[in-house]
Structure formats: C-alpha cells, structure tokens
Amino acid sequence: MLIISTSHDPIPLRESIVCGGEGVTLAAHVNPYESAVKQMTNAAKLMNLEAELLEVFSHPRRILTVHFPVKMDNGSIKVFTGFRSQHNHALGPCKGGIRYHPGVSVDEVKALSIWMTWKCSLVGVPFGGGKGGIIVNPKDLSQGELERMTRRFAYEIAPFVGPDTDIPAPDVYTNPQTMAWFYDTYSALVGSDQPAVITGKPLSLGGSEGRSDATARGLSIVVREAAKAKRMQLKGAKIAIQGYGNAGSFAAELLGAMGAKVIAVTDSLGGAISPSGKALDIKQLWKHKNETGGVSGAPGSRKISNKELLALDVDFLIPAALENQITRYNAKNVKATVIAEAANGPVTPEADRILNENEVFLCPDILANAGGVTVSYFEWVQNRYRYFWDQPTVNERLEKMMVRAFDTMHATAGKFSCDNRTAAYIVAMGRVAEATRARGIWP
Ligand code: NAD
C-alpha cells in the first residue's frame, strides 16, 4: 500500500527526560525535525537567505509511507511501517541511509533527510538528501525474517528510488547484507542489474573499498583537523565514544592507531571505562562485544553509564549512537574540549547554545560523519562505470574532500563570527540556494 504524505504540520517541541534505548540513556526527546529547522533558521538569518528559500528548505520535497505485510517464522503475518523522505534534489539525486529501529518516526526521517542535503553540499558530493527507515527492533527478528522484511520494503519503495533519483545506504542496524538484499530485489523488479541503486554493498557485489570504515575515517580526519585548529596534540589525547557500532567502533580503532587514547565506550547495553586512564584494548572490546552482545564488562574495564560517559573529563567526546543525547539538561556537564558528532543530531539546539557559551569546539554531524556519504558517492561512481579503485585511491580522495570541507567551515566560522554548526550550514545552504536560483522555480 502506498501513502504519499506531504504533511507540513508543525510539531510542538517536547523536551522531557525519559530513559532511552534499552534503559541506559538519559535522553531528552526533542523533535529532530524541529531541531533541523532551528539550525537552518539560525544560518539563514546570518547569511541573509531569502525567506522563500528557507521555506522551501524547511520541508522535504516528498515523503513516502508504506505499510507492508511480512511472513514471520511461526507462520503469522506482521505488518510493518516504513518511510522514505526525499528532502531536496537541487544538487543531484537524493542520498541517505535506511534505519531499522523501534524509535523511527516520520519526523526523525524528515530531519535525517534534511541533514543529508546539507552534508552532501558541504563536502561537495553532487547529491541531495534522502533518508528511510522501518519501525522495528531488528534484534527481535530472525535472519530470514529480516531478509523478507527488507525485500518487501525494497519492493514497496522501488518506484520511489533508483540510481538517478534516490540512492539508499546503511544506517543504524542495517549493514552490507541488508544492502545486498535491497540491490538484488530492486534489480529483479526492474529486470536489469542495478548496483548503483544502493551503496554500502559487500565488496563481492560492487561495494567500494574503504566504505565499511569510511564514516569513522572521515571522522578521524575531522578530529585531527580540530586538534590542529585548537593546537592540541592528538597523540595521547583522551577520547570517549558513545555507541559502538559501525561509526563508533571503527572510530575507536582509527583514532587509537593515530595515537589517541580511547578510554571509555558505551553501547545500548552499557559501557566500559579504563580504570587506570590508559587506552582500552580495542581488540578485547570487539571480542567481548561479539561474544556477549555489548562492551560492558570487557576484560580490564569497569562499567560506566551513558550519562557518566558524556560528562567525562576527556579531550574529545564522540557521540556515535542516536539523536538527542546532549541536551539542555546535561550540556553543562560536558567537560570535553572538542565534540565530534559521528551520530546525526546528537546535540539539541538548546544544548548547542550552552556548549557555545562554554567554548566547546563542536564539529557538527554534517561535517564529522560525512565520510560515509562521500565514499558512498565513490561507490556509486564506480558502479556507474564498472571500474573499481583501490583502497589508497579511495582514502586519498576522501582525505582531500574532508580537509577541504573542514577548512571551508572553519574559515566561514571566522568570517561570520559564529559557531561551527552555523558556519557549516551557511556553506551548505549557500550552495543549494545558488543551485536552486540557477534552476529557477518551474513552471
Ligand atoms: P550501528 O547500528 O552500527 O551502531 C549503533 C550503535 O549505537 C550500537 O553500538 C548501539 O548499541 C548503540 N546504541 C543504540 N542505542 C543506544 C543508546 N540508547 N545509548 C548508547 N548507545 C546506543 O549504527 P551506525 O551506522 O554506527 O550509526 C550510528 C550513528 O552514526 C547514527 O546516528 C547514524 O545516523 C550515524 N551515521 C552512520 C553512518 C554509517 O555509515 N554507518 C554514516 C553517517 C552517520
């Protein structure tokens, strides 16, 4: 069943403390779409953006809602709800991940698609913003059920996506296997091989070298550049990471290899901190997570909560889980010198204000986690001409684009005397505004 929704109803801002995830996060539920609009409005004021363009940018171009049945292993049929939001395509086809999480909502998907537009623009990738998700706890599903749900979702949104219209990718609780099922289903439906319909695929199916750790690699480049800007030493710097999935775990590995000390990490089940202040053993952490499902209780560590992790006295704090983790309730407790947002939307606008007052150097999500979409773009390019690059080529091109984006943001922050997030938005929105003016409003 297809329901095209174009609802623009304003949603009241809620900011009440609740236990998030699996009971370990003190998360404030701020509507992420409201946050996205607030961030755009802040930049629009400073850059004197036309009010009409701000209005255009404040709404996704279109949102698809699908309700679809899936046969479960016990023979029953369950109906799932999923979304795909396409925010803006002034710079090119929409691009953005697919999330499987019980907290997925239409406003979350809208916000994530808006952030994708600005991220692509900031790093210079010729895509607009898209995002999708299914309301589901994938941990409750068998592998067979996951495959059937993914294939049916691909079928439902197939008319909406394509290599030249909208190209999905992995996000929270989706992975290369999910991408492989999606690619295979889409190709079967259109009757031809279409690897460029989705990125983050396994290497054996046209995935790119360097895609699996691209988000973390981009993040580690941003952290390195932030350290230079703040005249800090990365070697020996203390790092805390919230979220130990694709973005967080690779970040721990890469930053550790650069000489930084990852002293604490958490995931949805708990956390681990080094009691001595020495770096955690990343290999041991991985082994423990694979064996037990979480990082908590890893050998040589002591347990730590998410709340404690966010308030640690570290040089770099890396939120790499979900939205709304640093809010007006806990922002004042942050002691880190630099925050690099691996997650999308982990800091609310209210918290941004407090962090700015406290002179925390924040590397915003649309820069800090842009390595993922950058290498996704590389994968799409390689799929289009079926010629593949080696890993050094991928990493070298990623490095160039990340450093250029950081420098542009930093220079813009200086020029407008504003915080980094607003500066990043000024750059990103300025480019999309220019493209929109050049295209004109048709008819
Ligand atoms: P993932 O599913 O691989 O990992 C998510 C991690 O967050 C897991 O370790 C999970 O245990 C943890 N987590 C979930 N709920 C939590 C909670 N309440 N408290 C603490 N930890 C919790 O997902 P990912 O791909 O690493 O994505 C993480 C973030 O990075 C998301 O915001 C995502 O949008 C963003 N991101 C990911 C990519 C990518 O390429 N994977 C790219 C850009 C941005």
Side-chain angles (χ1 to χ4, degrees):
M1 187 196 322
L2 299 184
I3 301 171
I4 304 280
S5 153
T6 51
S7 165
H8 294 155
D9 296 340
I11 292 101
L13 189 70
R14 286 183 292 128
E15 198 166 350
S16 58
I17 296 187
V18 294
C19 279
E22 287 152 53
V24 287
T25 313
L26 204 59
H29 277 206
V30 177
N31 184 313
Y33 171 63
E34 294 260 335
S35 297
V37 173
K38 178 102 187 52
Q39 291 158 349
M40 285 188 267
T41 309
N42 289 344
K45 268 188 215 148
L46 267 187
M47 68 196 282
N48 283 324
L49 184 76
E50 300 94 300
E52 293 89 344
L53 280 184
L54 178 61
E55 178 68 12
V56 171
F57 295 164
S58 295
H59 307 289
R61 178 181 171 229
R62 42 187 197 168
I63 304 165
L64 176 69
T65 301
V66 292
H67 306 286
F68 55 99
V70 176
K71 258 192 207 146
M72 308 307 280
D73 288 347
N74 65 5
S76 67
I77 289 172
K78 196 166 171 179
V79 176
F80 291 89
T81 298
F83 309 100
R84 185 76 193 169
S85 170
Q86 296 172 352
H87 173 240
N88 186 288
H89 61 160
L91 296 181
C94 295
K95 184 91 190 78
I98 294 175
R99 175 175 293 195
Y100 291 173
H101 195 274
V104 164
S105 69
V106 71
D107 280 329
E108 182 184 64
V109 167
K110 272 162 78 170
L112 289 163
S113 69
I114 291 172
W115 290 327
M116 284 306 297
T117 299
W118 309 134
K119 194 180 301 182
C120 292
S121 172
L122 180 65
V123 282
V125 160
F127 289 140
K131 203 80 178 195
I134 302 178
I135 304 171
V136 61
N137 185 351
K139 293 176 186 172
D140 293 343
L141 267 53
S142 71
Q143 192 73 351
E145 289 168 338
L146 270 177
E147 175 173 356
R148 291 195 291 281
M149 183 188 73
T150 301
R151 287 186 182 277
R152 181 66 193 238
F153 180 60
Y155 167 79
E156 297 292 346
I157 70 167
F160 210 56
V161 300
D164 290 311
T165 47
D166 183 4
I167 307 129
D171 193 72
V172 174
Y173 296 147
T174 56
N175 56 31
Q177 177 61 74
T178 326
M179 303 302 109
W181 290 327
F182 193 106
Y183 156 43
D184 184 65
T185 310
Y186 182 85
S187 297
L189 285 170
V190 299
S192 59
D193 189 45
Q194 297 291 340
V197 70
I198 198 159
T199 58
K201 299 180 294 293
L203 274 178
S204 60
L205 282 180
S208 177
E209 292 286 355
R211 176 61 185 88
S212 53
D213 66 2
T215 303
R217 190 172 294 279
L219 180 98
S220 61
I221 294 167
V222 167
V223 166
R224 187 194 69 207
E225 295 304 301
K228 272 191 221 161
K230 292 289 293 175
R231 299 181 199 286
M232 293 161 72
Q233 285 294 329
L234 192 50
K235 199 166 165 39
K238 282 192 275 178
I239 298 196
I241 303 179
Q242 183 204 29
Y244 209 67
N246 177 286
S249 66
F250 281 120
E253 214 171 288
L254 291 169
L255 288 164
M258 288 160 88
K261 285 194 300 183
V262 177
I263 62 154
V265 298
T266 51
D267 60 25
S268 65
L269 301 176
I273 184 168
S274 152
S276 63
K278 285 191 186 151
L280 288 167
D281 183 334
I282 305 297
K283 283 205 174 78
Q284 280 291 339
L285 269 181
W286 247 125
K287 190 164 171 280
H288 186 76
K289 188 163 168 82
N290 281 337
E291 284 166 7
T292 67
V295 292
S296 178
S301 75
R302 153 172 92 65
K303 290 189 179 176
I304 184 173
S305 69
N306 262 304
K307 187 180 169 196
E308 291 169 294
L309 177 127
L310 296 172
L312 282 176
D313 190 1
V314 288
D315 300 299
F316 297 90
L317 175 62
I318 301 176
L322 295 168
E323 301 94 62
N324 298 339
Q325 298 302 305
I326 303 175
T327 69
R328 64 177 156 137
Y329 297 108
N330 60 0
K332 60 180 179 307
N333 304 333
V334 169
K335 296 181 198 69
T337 311
V338 175
I339 295 179
E341 295 181 325
N344 286 304
V347 175
T348 67
E350 282 276 3
D352 254 343
R353 195 180 46 72
I354 296 165
L355 295 173
N356 283 330
E357 278 167 16
N358 294 343
E359 296 183 4
V360 176
F361 189 93
L362 184 132
C363 300
D365 45 10
I366 64 168
L367 170 73
N369 69 33
V373 75
T374 304
V375 177
S376 269
Y377 163 55
F378 296 163
E379 180 175 333
W380 179 84
V381 170
Q382 294 168 79
N383 290 160
R384 297 312 291 258
Y385 67 113
R386 299 207 182 237
Y387 177 77
F388 287 87
W389 314 344
D390 59 16
Q391 187 154 0
T393 306
V394 169
N395 291 351
E396 192 185 307
R397 290 176 178 175
L398 173 65
E399 161 86 23
K400 209 179 268 178
M401 290 173 78
M402 295 303 302
V403 171
R404 189 178 58 192
F406 181 94
D407 288 346
T408 310
M409 176 199 74
H410 198 44
T412 306
K415 184 172 157 197
F416 285 84
S417 301
C418 65
D419 59 275
N420 286 338
R421 190 188 310 281
T422 307
Y425 272 66
I426 289 174
V427 175
M429 288 168 65
R431 289 175 181 160
V432 178
E434 195 183 327
T436 308
R437 288 185 209 107
R439 280 176 184 265
I441 302 293
W442 179 83

